[in-house]
Amino acid sequence: MTDPVLYIGNKNYSSWSFRPWIGMRTAGIAFEEKLVPFDMGAGNPAFKAFSPTGKVPVLVDGDATIWESLAILDHVARKHPQTGLWPENHNDRSKAMAMSSEMVSSFSALRSACPMNMRRERKPIETTPAILSDVARIQALWSGCLENSGGPFLFGAFSIADAMFAPVVNRLDVYAFETGPVVTDYMARMKALTAWREWEAAGRSEPWVVAEDEA
């Protein structure tokens, strides 16, 4: 049996690629990585060769092609339940799904103004009430989970919820948002993950620059 293939974009910028990549790597799920870079704002026409949406990430697992970050993570979590990518507790699992779904559908002000950028110099940007509202909501979600679970991650052990919010850790860090001690400590633990450091090092070494993602 061959390993599934995960197609991703630039490690410096591709937040949606980062989510399944860090989830699968941290959970110890074997996969083959295929990076197809984009050096233009609209992506890369080559994505259409493997992606039904013309976007990344895409997981090809045997005869199954799965697109969208959360769907990929759910696919591998159900295929490898021993990894605990979804929390074991029923209520926690439902909350983790709700939080992950909120990450997919929400926080547009933060995401638009603050693209993920692994090699960005840490400095603040001019904020708006909408951006600050997104940051406050995220911090409230994280703090509540960490206080309930006791950490070290949102639901105790590393889960899909942590993977889905991983790019936000980068955003709050490199755009120098003020964070409370519980959130600051959580961000440090995320950034200390072996998978995080591997991804970040690769992203920093990439030659491609996408001007519109250099906020």
Side-chain angles (χ1 to χ4, degrees), residues 32-203:
E32 178 185 353
E33 172 192 314
K34 289 193 177 180
L35 191 156
V36 182
F38 52 86
D39 55 5
M40 62 290 287
N44 187 332
F47 291 165
K48 293 181 180 178
F50 55 83
S51 172
T53 61
K55 299 178 181 179
V56 287
V58 171
L59 184 75
V60 177
D61 186 9
D63 59 0
T65 296
I66 303 98
W67 62 99
E68 300 293 344
S69 301
L70 182 54
I72 292 169
L73 284 164
D74 180 62
H75 173 84
V76 298
R78 287 184 288 108
K79 187 173 180 179
H80 303 278
Q82 75 282 2
T83 61
L85 274 171
W86 283 126
E88 183 177 351
N89 177 273
H90 178 80
N91 290 342
D92 285 349
R93 187 164 61 250
S94 296
K95 186 174 181 180
M97 173 59 86
M99 288 177 61
S100 298
S101 299
E102 184 175 357
M103 181 66 254
V104 171
S105 64
S106 304
F107 314 122
S108 58
L110 176 67
R111 282 157 43 181
S112 296
C114 305
M116 189 182 85
N117 189 328
M118 287 289 170
R119 59 175 175 245
R120 186 181 189 272
E121 177 187 354
R122 189 176 191 273
K123 59 182 178 180
I125 62 165
E126 186 175 344
T127 59
T128 66
I131 293 171
L132 294 177
S133 176
D134 283 351
V135 172
R137 170 61 179 162
I138 290 162
Q139 292 206 61
L141 280 171
W142 291 358
S143 295
C145 284
L146 292 163
E147 288 166 7
N148 287 335
S149 71
F153 299 102
L154 294 175
F155 291 91
F158 182 91
S159 73
I160 286 174
D162 299 289
M164 289 299 295
F165 278 96
V168 179
V169 172
N170 170 259
R171 289 177 164 106
L172 298 192
D173 179 26
V174 301
Y175 296 95
F177 286 98
E178 186 174 333
T179 56
V182 172
V183 167
T184 300
D185 290 348
Y186 168 67
M187 289 168 59
R189 290 192 293 273
M190 285 290 289
K191 291 170 60 183
L193 287 169
T194 299
W196 179 293
R197 290 187 286 184
E198 180 184 347
W199 177 282
E200 181 178 19

